[in-house]
Amino acid sequence: LAALARRAAPRGARALTTQASIRDGPSAAAAASQPASAAQSAEKTHFGFREVDKNEKEQLVGRVFSNVAEQYDVMNDLMSGTLHRQWKDSFVNALLPLSANGHAAKCIDLAGGTGDIAFRIVERSRALFPSEPAPFVNVVDINQSMLDVGQGRAGRNGLAPDLRFVQQNAEHLDKFEDNTFDAYTIAFGIRNVTNIDLALSEAYRVLKPGGRFMCLEFSHLANPVLQSLYDQYSFNV
């Protein structure tokens, strides 16, 4: 998990999927993560192509997502050329099946406000494993506007009984107990976390031993020509 923090990138047209199985024993990410000091709060971090104070990023991210909540899918369509839909399908296919010994698996989906990943987990599980109980997914987002959109969609799609929407910061999941979840997912969200080490430590804490950590994120293209073409599209189109 610690390596993921170094690989998270603010832009690109390639999807990077990282998954890990959480094992018994000490976690390097958890052990290394400590509460931020006052000095750390003055450190710089990325917000898009800008460097901002760490203590400013959460408000800036919140403002962006409050403004785009109703058009979030359109934004992702434009950023990825609609490929984000295929990436999300592949992401969930890689996660399933989720086994919980005959009981509904418990999942937590971070930065999942509009429900894209959570809906796919439930719907895909129902389709592939009709005799098994569908996973129950806690959809967690720091932004209430995004959660409102997701809750509305869940009600219209008949998925509300399998979902719970919770407003919380990925760095402080104090509404959830240790060793609770069979799977932790975060799609296109790790780049918006101010202190990634803290979020990874919380992921480790709430996952059961043997639970699965899944991250989907934009990354830089390995081909510089394609990266240049994407930059032209991103900035000018």
Side-chain angles (χ1 to χ4, degrees):
L1 298 187
L4 175 64
R6 295 192 295 272
R7 297 177 65 183
R11 64 188 176 93
R14 176 170 70 96
L16 172 68
T17 303
T18 299
Q19 60 175 312
S21 180
I22 306 301
R23 305 297 182 188
D24 285 309
S27 160
S33 298
Q34 299 294 335
S37 65
Q40 287 174 319
S41 67
E43 291 178 356
K44 298 292 185 180
T45 187
H46 287 288
F47 177 69
F49 295 101
R50 296 163 50 196
E51 277 200 345
V52 299
D53 289 342
K54 276 191 171 183
N55 55 12
E56 288 184 287
K57 181 169 179 174
E58 184 176 317
Q59 291 182 345
L60 292 169
V61 170
R63 195 176 306 149
V64 168
F65 284 97
S66 292
N67 291 334
V68 304
E70 294 289 346
Q71 300 297 325
Y72 180 67
D73 287 340
V74 175
M75 184 182 76
N76 279 335
D77 282 338
L78 292 172
M79 288 175 64
S80 69
T82 73
L83 285 172
H84 76 100
R85 300 174 187 272
Q86 297 175 41
W87 293 336
K88 289 172 181 175
D89 287 342
S90 297
F91 180 72
V92 171
N93 288 340
L95 172 66
L96 300 177
L98 282 171
S99 175
N101 299 319
H103 302 287
K106 295 179 181 178
C107 304
I108 184 168
D109 180 39
L110 270 294
T114 58
D116 264 8
I117 297 299
F119 298 165
R120 281 172 168 82
I121 291 172
V122 174
E123 290 174 332
R124 191 71 174 150
S125 294
R126 286 177 179 175
L128 291 176
F129 314 105
S131 63
E132 297 288 330
F136 186 87
V137 186
N138 288 267
V139 182
V140 179
D141 203 289
I142 198 171
N143 188 283
Q144 187 61 48
S145 297
M146 297 286 282
L147 290 167
D148 291 342
V149 171
Q151 283 183 296
R153 291 176 61 192
R156 292 190 295 273
N157 295 341
L159 297 174
D162 297 301
L163 304 170
R164 175 190 176 206
F165 289 82
V166 181
Q167 184 179 21
Q168 190 129 72
N169 188 328
E171 299 173 20
H172 308 289
L173 299 176
D174 54 17
K175 294 181 181 179
F176 302 100
E177 296 182 359
D178 298 359
N179 306 322
T180 297
F181 296 105
D182 300 287
Y184 174 116
T185 58
I186 182 166
F188 305 124
I190 201 78
R191 67 182 182 269
N192 295 319
V193 174
T194 302
N195 297 290
I196 293 176
D197 283 352
L198 290 178
L200 296 179
S201 179
E202 282 291 84
Y204 179 82
R205 181 184 66 79
V206 301
L207 276 168
K208 296 177 182 177
R212 298 184 64 193
F213 173 91
M214 300 279 292
C215 178
L216 175 67
E217 189 53 87
F218 281 103
S219 182
H220 294 283
L221 285 158
N223 186 313
V225 175
L226 291 179
Q227 182 67 59
S228 176
L229 290 173
Y230 178 79
D231 287 344
Q232 290 297 317
Y233 168 79
S234 180
F235 287 115
N236 299 308
V237 179

